[in-house]
Amino acid sequence: MVEQARAQTEAAPDFRPLYAQVRDLILRRVVQGVWRPGEALPSEQRLAEEFGVSQGTVRKALDAMAAQNQVVREQGRGTFVATHRDQRAQFHFLHVLPDLGGKQMPVSRVLSIRPATANREEARRLGCRLGDAVTRLLRLRTIEGKPVILERIVVPTALMPDFDLPIGRETPEELYAIYERRYGVVVARAEEVLKAVTADRTDARHLGVVFAAPLLQVDRIARNLDGITVEWRLSRCDTRNHHYSSVIE
Amino acid sequence: MVEQARAQTEAAPDFRPLYAQVRDLILRRVVQGVWRPGEALPSEQRLAEEFGVSQGTVRKALDAMAAQNQVVREQGRGTFVATHRDQRAQFHFLHVLPDLGGKQMPVSRVLSIRPATANREEARRLGCRLGDAVTRLLRLRTIEGKPVILERIVVPTALMPDFDLPIGRETPEELYAIYERRYGVVVARAEEVLKAVTADRTDARHLGVVFAAPLLQVDRIARNLDGITVEWRLSRCDTRNHHYSSVIE
DNA sequence: CAGTGGTCTAGACCACTTA
DNA sequence: AAGTGGTCTAGACCACTGA
């Protein structure tokens, strides 16, 4: 197995546990698009034969991946590459919910979308160079008819060329599902920084709050399976009737 | 094993996987204080013999518990009941951090502490009856010398009788470590609801912000291993130079 | 029915800690 | 050296899915 790993990854002996090596080999193939989101992986037995390890070792690798939402396992059916086009994943990155009433997907409308070049802050946050091509997006999300979240989104053109969306109309698909379908870019992880801020004129107009009203700001960096930054998103939320939900366990 | 489980839990056949039954048996003993926080559990082999299952099944149960931070496993040493008196656990429930500069434990000072009876809201949040005895606590936390978090904390007297703390002085120990040491109450899980609010007079005075300044409010319900609510905490944070950090993966 | 993942077992060897 | 958890294997049987 170590030999096989070497053959595929370029020398460099690897003394980590076999299951960790197997996990990374599978992950690499997912990143390369050998198996696309939503598709089935080969069975544990086939993977074990291919990698020259026991089925139990493959199982441990896949269980670890399932724990990180990288694959989904279904008894009797198989193991599938995680996808945002899937009910399961819909709410994983959505933490803003109504105070009363259950989970419900917000309705999203694009206010503006246009190509630009990364300013200093965008370059820093996206990990690209100053002046690199990006797409800037302003989006309003409403929950149960009420405007709740105003989002300023920046994506690097290098990863998502010619990114465009219809303006004004309801966007039928989740943004991360669109990244995935159009570009094969899979958001696997996000880091969020939350602060309380005051509404500026733009916030106030779109969210229907008074100027300087308190808003919850969510600053999110989204990364793919490789850890590459694929989006910077700055959301401002009216939390009078909604909240950000977090569980620690 | 199913028979043994029955013998210990009172009839009721259990068709769940063995490892899940083993996990719950171990969890119950931890809740009952058979093994106290920080203490070592018997080895996998001993537990396997006692429960009449294989070592692999006990391992799967303990691995699942370790994944939920209920136990800590150390190669060559043993498996230990999780404790808040432990560097590892210190930051698990602390999500408010300085924007610049690494993690650092806040300094906590009690402003007031007094017994009371649960009002309607407290009873609802704590899951106790209106008028039940509680202890109310007002606490200020400073990070790098700056006041950052003002906390209103309510704990049920039923779980933590005669709860008291010195006022004004720096509290040397974490509150959850105190719950654990004094009462054997282990906080295992918390649900947080975040909103942006405006500072009232009390907030403004203690946090050094102007009246109506935007603050991040963190409303937390803390539960023990059994899911019993052990604390309601309403924190208001000045997020001008600090933030609430959240990772989604 | 064949094929998949889920559970459970038994045993081997390794890495690490403690004495 | 003895005891612990960590890794890896092999094989059995079960529960579930879909043709």
PDB file of all heavy atoms in Angstrom, chain A residues 130-148:
ATOM      1  N   LEU A 130      -3.351  41.246  -5.518  1.00  0.00           N
ATOM      2  CA  LEU A 130      -4.000  42.547  -5.742  1.00  0.00           C
ATOM      3  C   LEU A 130      -4.219  42.712  -7.244  1.00  0.00           C
ATOM      4  O   LEU A 130      -3.294  42.511  -8.036  1.00  0.00           O
ATOM      5  CB  LEU A 130      -3.091  43.657  -5.201  1.00  0.00           C
ATOM      6  CG  LEU A 130      -3.633  45.083  -5.197  1.00  0.00           C
ATOM      7  CD1 LEU A 130      -4.788  45.228  -4.225  1.00  0.00           C
ATOM      8  CD2 LEU A 130      -2.512  46.064  -4.844  1.00  0.00           C
ATOM      9  N   GLY A 131      -5.448  43.023  -7.636  1.00  0.00           N
ATOM     10  CA  GLY A 131      -5.717  43.242  -9.056  1.00  0.00           C
ATOM     11  C   GLY A 131      -6.178  42.004  -9.804  1.00  0.00           C
ATOM     12  O   GLY A 131      -6.586  42.098 -10.966  1.00  0.00           O
ATOM     13  N   ASP A 132      -6.125  40.834  -9.160  1.00  0.00           N
ATOM     14  CA  ASP A 132      -6.643  39.614  -9.800  1.00  0.00           C
ATOM     15  C   ASP A 132      -8.140  39.778 -10.081  1.00  0.00           C
ATOM     16  O   ASP A 132      -8.847  40.466  -9.349  1.00  0.00           O
ATOM     17  CB  ASP A 132      -6.439  38.403  -8.882  1.00  0.00           C
ATOM     18  CG  ASP A 132      -5.037  37.815  -9.013  1.00  0.00           C
ATOM     19  OD1 ASP A 132      -4.230  38.378  -9.781  1.00  0.00           O
ATOM     20  OD2 ASP A 132      -4.754  36.814  -8.331  1.00  0.00           O
ATOM     21  N   ALA A 133      -8.581  39.133 -11.131  1.00  0.00           N
ATOM     22  CA  ALA A 133      -9.994  39.229 -11.502  1.00  0.00           C
ATOM     23  C   ALA A 133     -10.871  38.525 -10.465  1.00  0.00           C
ATOM     24  O   ALA A 133     -10.529  37.438  -9.997  1.00  0.00           O
ATOM     25  CB  ALA A 133     -10.219  38.622 -12.876  1.00  0.00           C
ATOM     26  N   VAL A 134     -11.976  39.175 -10.124  1.00  0.00           N
ATOM     27  CA  VAL A 134     -12.965  38.584  -9.210  1.00  0.00           C
ATOM     28  C   VAL A 134     -14.364  38.946  -9.708  1.00  0.00           C
ATOM     29  O   VAL A 134     -14.512  39.757 -10.619  1.00  0.00           O
ATOM     30  CB  VAL A 134     -12.805  39.119  -7.765  1.00  0.00           C
ATOM     31  CG1 VAL A 134     -11.438  38.760  -7.191  1.00  0.00           C
ATOM     32  CG2 VAL A 134     -13.034  40.631  -7.712  1.00  0.00           C
ATOM     33  N   THR A 135     -15.369  38.315  -9.119  1.00  0.00           N
ATOM     34  CA  THR A 135     -16.744  38.749  -9.370  1.00  0.00           C
ATOM     35  C   THR A 135     -17.349  39.198  -8.054  1.00  0.00           C
ATOM     36  O   THR A 135     -17.214  38.495  -7.048  1.00  0.00           O
ATOM     37  CB  THR A 135     -17.593  37.605  -9.965  1.00  0.00           C
ATOM     38  OG1 THR A 135     -17.010  37.181 -11.194  1.00  0.00           O
ATOM     39  CG2 THR A 135     -19.030  38.063 -10.201  1.00  0.00           C
ATOM     40  N   ARG A 136     -17.954  40.394  -8.059  1.00  0.00           N
ATOM     41  CA  ARG A 136     -18.612  40.913  -6.852  1.00  0.00           C
ATOM     42  C   ARG A 136     -20.113  40.786  -7.013  1.00  0.00           C
ATOM     43  O   ARG A 136     -20.661  41.055  -8.075  1.00  0.00           O
ATOM     44  CB  ARG A 136     -18.253  42.373  -6.620  1.00  0.00           C
ATOM     45  CG  ARG A 136     -16.815  42.592  -6.229  1.00  0.00           C
ATOM     46  CD  ARG A 136     -16.596  43.985  -5.650  1.00  0.00           C
ATOM     47  NE  ARG A 136     -15.168  44.271  -5.591  1.00  0.00           N
ATOM     48  CZ  ARG A 136     -14.561  45.292  -6.193  1.00  0.00           C
ATOM     49  NH1 ARG A 136     -15.273  46.163  -6.899  1.00  0.00           N
ATOM     50  NH2 ARG A 136     -13.267  45.454  -6.094  1.00  0.00           N
ATOM     51  N   LEU A 137     -20.725  40.381  -5.929  1.00  0.00           N
ATOM     52  CA  LEU A 137     -22.139  40.039  -5.949  1.00  0.00           C
ATOM     53  C   LEU A 137     -22.798  40.648  -4.723  1.00  0.00           C
ATOM     54  O   LEU A 137     -22.278  40.557  -3.616  1.00  0.00           O
ATOM     55  CB  LEU A 137     -22.217  38.513  -5.910  1.00  0.00           C
ATOM     56  CG  LEU A 137     -23.528  37.760  -5.908  1.00  0.00           C
ATOM     57  CD1 LEU A 137     -24.382  38.152  -7.091  1.00  0.00           C
ATOM     58  CD2 LEU A 137     -23.227  36.268  -5.951  1.00  0.00           C
ATOM     59  N   LEU A 138     -23.929  41.309  -4.924  1.00  0.00           N
ATOM     60  CA  LEU A 138     -24.719  41.823  -3.802  1.00  0.00           C
ATOM     61  C   LEU A 138     -26.051  41.089  -3.820  1.00  0.00           C
ATOM     62  O   LEU A 138     -26.717  41.045  -4.861  1.00  0.00           O
ATOM     63  CB  LEU A 138     -24.930  43.334  -3.937  1.00  0.00           C
ATOM     64  CG  LEU A 138     -25.609  44.035  -2.747  1.00  0.00           C
ATOM     65  CD1 LEU A 138     -24.723  44.004  -1.514  1.00  0.00           C
ATOM     66  CD2 LEU A 138     -25.966  45.480  -3.103  1.00  0.00           C
ATOM     67  N   ARG A 139     -26.410  40.499  -2.714  1.00  0.00           N
ATOM     68  CA  ARG A 139     -27.568  39.614  -2.716  1.00  0.00           C
ATOM     69  C   ARG A 139     -28.417  39.845  -1.474  1.00  0.00           C
ATOM     70  O   ARG A 139     -27.902  40.052  -0.379  1.00  0.00           O
ATOM     71  CB  ARG A 139     -27.075  38.168  -2.748  1.00  0.00           C
ATOM     72  CG  ARG A 139     -28.177  37.149  -2.888  1.00  0.00           C
ATOM     73  CD  ARG A 139     -27.587  35.805  -3.226  1.00  0.00           C
ATOM     74  NE  ARG A 139     -27.133  35.105  -2.045  1.00  0.00           N
ATOM     75  CZ  ARG A 139     -27.212  33.768  -1.906  1.00  0.00           C
ATOM     76  NH1 ARG A 139     -27.688  33.018  -2.884  1.00  0.00           N
ATOM     77  NH2 ARG A 139     -26.773  33.193  -0.824  1.00  0.00           N
ATOM     78  N   LEU A 140     -29.725  39.787  -1.644  1.00  0.00           N
ATOM     79  CA  LEU A 140     -30.640  39.950  -0.514  1.00  0.00           C
ATOM     80  C   LEU A 140     -31.404  38.652  -0.303  1.00  0.00           C
ATOM     81  O   LEU A 140     -31.955  38.084  -1.254  1.00  0.00           O
ATOM     82  CB  LEU A 140     -31.624  41.094  -0.784  1.00  0.00           C
ATOM     83  CG  LEU A 140     -32.603  41.416   0.352  1.00  0.00           C
ATOM     84  CD1 LEU A 140     -31.877  41.944   1.579  1.00  0.00           C
ATOM     85  CD2 LEU A 140     -33.662  42.425  -0.114  1.00  0.00           C
ATOM     86  N   ARG A 141     -31.413  38.206   0.936  1.00  0.00           N
ATOM     87  CA  ARG A 141     -32.145  36.964   1.240  1.00  0.00           C
ATOM     88  C   ARG A 141     -33.325  37.285   2.135  1.00  0.00           C
ATOM     89  O   ARG A 141     -33.199  38.006   3.124  1.00  0.00           O
ATOM     90  CB  ARG A 141     -31.228  35.963   1.930  1.00  0.00           C
ATOM     91  CG  ARG A 141     -29.926  35.774   1.188  1.00  0.00           C
ATOM     92  CD  ARG A 141     -29.113  34.649   1.764  1.00  0.00           C
ATOM     93  NE  ARG A 141     -29.546  33.374   1.204  1.00  0.00           N
ATOM     94  CZ  ARG A 141     -28.945  32.211   1.479  1.00  0.00           C
ATOM     95  NH1 ARG A 141     -27.937  32.166   2.331  1.00  0.00           N
ATOM     96  NH2 ARG A 141     -29.377  31.099   0.923  1.00  0.00           N
ATOM     97  N   THR A 142     -34.486  36.747   1.773  1.00  0.00           N
ATOM     98  CA  THR A 142     -35.690  36.970   2.561  1.00  0.00           C
ATOM     99  C   THR A 142     -36.171  35.643   3.127  1.00  0.00           C
ATOM    100  O   THR A 142     -36.057  34.600   2.489  1.00  0.00           O
ATOM    101  CB  THR A 142     -36.811  37.588   1.707  1.00  0.00           C
ATOM    102  OG1 THR A 142     -37.082  36.720   0.606  1.00  0.00           O
ATOM    103  CG2 THR A 142     -36.397  38.950   1.158  1.00  0.00           C
ATOM    104  N   ILE A 143     -36.674  35.714   4.346  1.00  0.00           N
ATOM    105  CA  ILE A 143     -37.212  34.521   4.996  1.00  0.00           C
ATOM    106  C   ILE A 143     -38.668  34.793   5.338  1.00  0.00           C
ATOM    107  O   ILE A 143     -38.979  35.781   5.990  1.00  0.00           O
ATOM    108  CB  ILE A 143     -36.406  34.169   6.265  1.00  0.00           C
ATOM    109  CG1 ILE A 143     -34.937  33.897   5.905  1.00  0.00           C
ATOM    110  CG2 ILE A 143     -37.020  32.966   6.980  1.00  0.00           C
ATOM    111  CD1 ILE A 143     -34.038  33.600   7.092  1.00  0.00           C
ATOM    112  N   GLU A 144     -39.539  33.938   4.881  1.00  0.00           N
ATOM    113  CA  GLU A 144     -40.973  34.121   5.081  1.00  0.00           C
ATOM    114  C   GLU A 144     -41.416  35.523   4.631  1.00  0.00           C
ATOM    115  O   GLU A 144     -42.198  36.189   5.307  1.00  0.00           O
ATOM    116  CB  GLU A 144     -41.353  33.872   6.546  1.00  0.00           C
ATOM    117  CG  GLU A 144     -41.194  32.396   6.936  1.00  0.00           C
ATOM    118  CD  GLU A 144     -41.105  32.177   8.433  1.00  0.00           C
ATOM    119  OE1 GLU A 144     -41.021  33.169   9.184  1.00  0.00           O
ATOM    120  OE2 GLU A 144     -41.104  31.015   8.859  1.00  0.00           O
ATOM    121  N   GLY A 145     -40.846  35.955   3.512  1.00  0.00           N
ATOM    122  CA  GLY A 145     -41.252  37.225   2.925  1.00  0.00           C
ATOM    123  C   GLY A 145     -40.541  38.447   3.465  1.00  0.00           C
ATOM    124  O   GLY A 145     -40.620  39.529   2.878  1.00  0.00           O
ATOM    125  N   LYS A 146     -39.809  38.294   4.575  1.00  0.00           N
ATOM    126  CA  LYS A 146     -39.145  39.456   5.165  1.00  0.00           C
ATOM    127  C   LYS A 146     -37.671  39.493   4.787  1.00  0.00           C
ATOM    128  O   LYS A 146     -36.985  38.481   4.891  1.00  0.00           O
ATOM    129  CB  LYS A 146     -39.268  39.400   6.688  1.00  0.00           C
ATOM    130  CG  LYS A 146     -40.698  39.597   7.172  1.00  0.00           C
ATOM    131  CD  LYS A 146     -40.826  39.223   8.648  1.00  0.00           C
ATOM    132  CE  LYS A 146     -42.279  39.038   9.027  1.00  0.00           C
ATOM    133  NZ  LYS A 146     -42.473  38.027  10.083  1.00  0.00           N
ATOM    134  N   PRO A 147     -37.156  40.665   4.379  1.00  0.00           N
ATOM    135  CA  PRO A 147     -35.718  40.767   4.080  1.00  0.00           C
ATOM    136  C   PRO A 147     -34.919  40.604   5.366  1.00  0.00           C
ATOM    137  O   PRO A 147     -35.216  41.275   6.363  1.00  0.00           O
ATOM    138  CB  PRO A 147     -35.570  42.174   3.500  1.00  0.00           C
ATOM    139  CG  PRO A 147     -36.746  42.928   4.009  1.00  0.00           C
ATOM    140  CD  PRO A 147     -37.853  41.941   4.201  1.00  0.00           C
ATOM    141  N   VAL A 148     -33.952  39.705   5.369  1.00  0.00           N
ATOM    142  CA  VAL A 148     -33.244  39.394   6.613  1.00  0.00           C
ATOM    143  C   VAL A 148     -31.728  39.510   6.477  1.00  0.00           C
ATOM    144  O   VAL A 148     -31.044  39.949   7.385  1.00  0.00           O
ATOM    145  CB  VAL A 148     -33.603  37.973   7.105  1.00  0.00           C
ATOM    146  CG1 VAL A 148     -32.832  37.616   8.359  1.00  0.00           C
ATOM    147  CG2 VAL A 148     -35.104  37.861   7.362  1.00  0.00           C
TER     148      VAL A 148
END
